[in-house]
Amino acid sequence: RLTEHPALEFNASFSPYGGQIAFVSEKDGNQDLYTIRDDGTGLTRLTTEAALDDHPAWSPDGKQIAFASTRRAANKTPGQAWTAVFVMNSDGSGARCLSPAGAADYSPAWSPKGEWIALASGSGKAGGTDLYVMRPDGSERRLVVANGGWPSFSADGESLYFHSQREAKWGIWRVNLDGSGLERITPVEIEGYTPRVSADGRWLAAALVRGSH
């Protein structure tokens, strides 16, 4: 165990070269991002905005962290989400928004070479997001596939794994970055969520539920 505070702490992510972990914690009364060494030392708070910060994702060189945040001014449409994707230096400095005005973006993921950031964009309700990719400066944003969330790049950076309720049950799916080759990875009788691909591409981790719930 690395942390001892009774607050909620979740969505941990190892730095590319190991040694450090970025995660979300409510230990200081707000949902902020922190880093800690893998031996439990060096706890550092990265964000201090009066907003909800979530889903830290390291760049491949370990110099930047992409994350989702509500710190941008709220959309004017009642009930519309306003979460946006930001990128900051790994020490918490230089945060900048990548999401265009009016977009509600979530769950950023870096490509293995750092040339793309994948994200889910939409209402924020279950099944209400689509997958996009964009450059790390927010340019060249484009739709990859509709109806998907929680993207994770393949080891070669040429495709995305994601969860989706395209059929009766949620499952893990794969699609090429050009939108072709859509296929379900998990069996139809098993529900799958929150996929993560290992750096060498040999393993796919996901939350799996057999049967209805």
Side-chain angles (χ1 to χ4, degrees):
R1 181 171 180 172
L2 301 182
T3 61
E4 296 293 338
H5 200 277
L8 288 175
E9 295 176 327
F10 50 96
N11 283 351
S13 175
F14 266 104
S15 63
Y17 304 106
Q20 274 194 311
I21 300 168
F23 66 101
V24 184
S25 177
E26 298 179 358
K27 67 184 295 294
D28 290 310
N30 191 52
Q31 186 172 305
D32 286 296
L33 303 184
Y34 296 74
T35 55
I36 194 170
R37 296 190 185 97
D38 59 7
D39 62 1
T41 64
L43 179 66
T44 302
R45 184 176 178 177
L46 300 183
T47 61
T48 58
E49 295 283 332
L52 303 179
D53 297 324
D54 193 11
H55 206 104
W58 296 83
S59 62
D61 61 8
K63 294 181 179 180
Q64 299 181 88
I65 296 175
F67 62 102
S69 178
T70 62
R71 64 182 62 192
R72 188 172 63 175
N75 283 319
K76 296 181 180 180
T77 303
Q80 184 177 349
W82 67 88
T83 301
V85 167
F86 287 72
V87 167
M88 64 181 173
N89 298 324
S90 59
D91 63 0
S93 65
R96 61 194 186 279
C97 182
L98 303 185
S99 300
D105 293 343
Y106 312 84
S107 309
W110 289 82
S111 63
K113 295 181 180 179
E115 73 269 47
W116 296 103
I117 293 176
L119 57 100
S121 184
S123 67
K125 297 179 181 179
T129 57
D130 304 322
L131 297 188
Y132 288 77
V133 292
M134 62 183 173
R135 298 297 185 183
D137 63 359
S139 64
E140 299 185 43
R141 180 183 172 110
R142 60 179 173 82
L143 175 69
V144 176
V145 67
N147 188 6
W150 203 277
S152 180
F153 275 94
S154 60
D156 62 8
E158 297 298 322
S159 60
L160 292 175
Y161 291 84
F162 62 99
H163 63 205
S164 178
Q165 191 179 20
R166 297 174 171 273
E167 298 169 348
K169 296 181 183 296
W170 285 81
I172 307 302
W173 295 71
R174 190 197 69 83
V175 67
N176 296 326
L177 287 192
D178 63 4
S180 65
L182 179 66
E183 62 175 335
R184 183 173 181 131
I185 301 300
T186 51
V188 294
E189 70 273 13
I190 295 177
E191 295 196 87
Y193 309 88
T194 60
R196 278 289 177 263
V197 181
S198 63
D200 60 7
R202 295 179 60 196
W203 298 98
L204 173 68
L208 300 179
V209 179
R210 184 180 296 275
S212 60
H213 70 284

